Amino acid sequence: MYNRPYRFEFFDTASPENYTLLRPNFVILCYDITDRRSLINIQQVWRKDVTRHYRVDGEDVPVMLLGLKRDARVEEPGVIYPQEGYRVAQEMRCDRYAECSAVTGELISEVFEDIARTAAKTTTEAGGLTQGGCTLM
């Protein structure tokens, strides 16, 4: 897009004190597909915080819901299947939904390509909408 190189910065915001100081152009909310509580936490806490704290030029930043540990999915109660994850992403008005596995590498390159493509759409021909390139949280 725009036939130019991009620089992406990723931040893991495990620290509850500092995440509101970031000014991302794109947010990735991750959950563990084997732990329903992690998806509920995104629905009840994190999605609302993202909507409240992150806007660029008066618009909400794009949000991806990303299911992790795809390799650990087994048929048992509490496991989240892709259809449910996608439905929840739609209910939360997320822009993208994906799943991947860091252990097996399944869908990793597709997820990064989707992240890059979506994040690039948050830029202008002159560059990023914020100083320092495209920031992903």
Side-chain angles (χ1 to χ4, degrees):
M1 185 164 241
Y2 301 125
N3 201 22
R4 63 188 289 277
Y6 290 89
R7 182 186 78 197
F8 295 102
E9 297 174 349
F10 288 85
F11 294 91
D12 179 354
T13 59
S15 170
E17 306 88 38
N18 299 325
Y19 77 93
T20 58
L21 301 176
L22 296 173
R23 294 293 167 241
N25 299 93
F26 183 52
V27 175
I28 305 166
L29 297 173
C30 301
Y31 73 96
D32 176 350
I33 67 164
T34 66
D35 183 2
R36 184 162 298 278
R37 291 172 301 164
S38 66
L39 183 59
I40 291 169
N41 192 32
I42 284 177
Q43 289 175 287
Q44 294 179 351
V45 179
W46 288 104
R47 182 60 173 120
K48 292 174 185 172
D49 281 356
V50 165
T51 302
R52 183 173 41 247
H53 293 291
Y54 302 120
R55 297 177 69 78
V56 175
D57 292 337
E59 294 192 22
D60 293 339
V61 298
V63 176
M64 171 185 267
L65 181 62
L66 180 60
L68 304 176
K69 299 186 180 179
R70 184 178 166 95
D71 60 289
R73 181 177 282 132
V74 292
E75 288 196 35
E76 58 183 49
V79 172
I80 298 137
Y81 288 90
Q83 302 88 334
E84 181 180 1
Y86 183 72
R87 180 186 53 78
V88 169
Q90 288 180 319
E91 289 172 359
M92 293 190 307
R93 297 195 173 280
C94 292
D95 300 280
R96 312 296 296 161
Y97 176 76
E99 293 184 357
C100 64
S101 168
V103 172
T104 64
E106 182 182 12
L107 298 175
I108 290 283
S109 54
E110 290 86 352
V111 167
F112 271 99
E113 187 175 315
D114 195 22
I115 290 168
R117 190 178 300 112
T118 304
K121 291 178 183 176
T122 69
T123 66
T124 65
E125 278 194 61
L129 295 176
T130 61
Q131 293 290 342
C134 182
T135 304
L136 304 153
M137 183 178 91

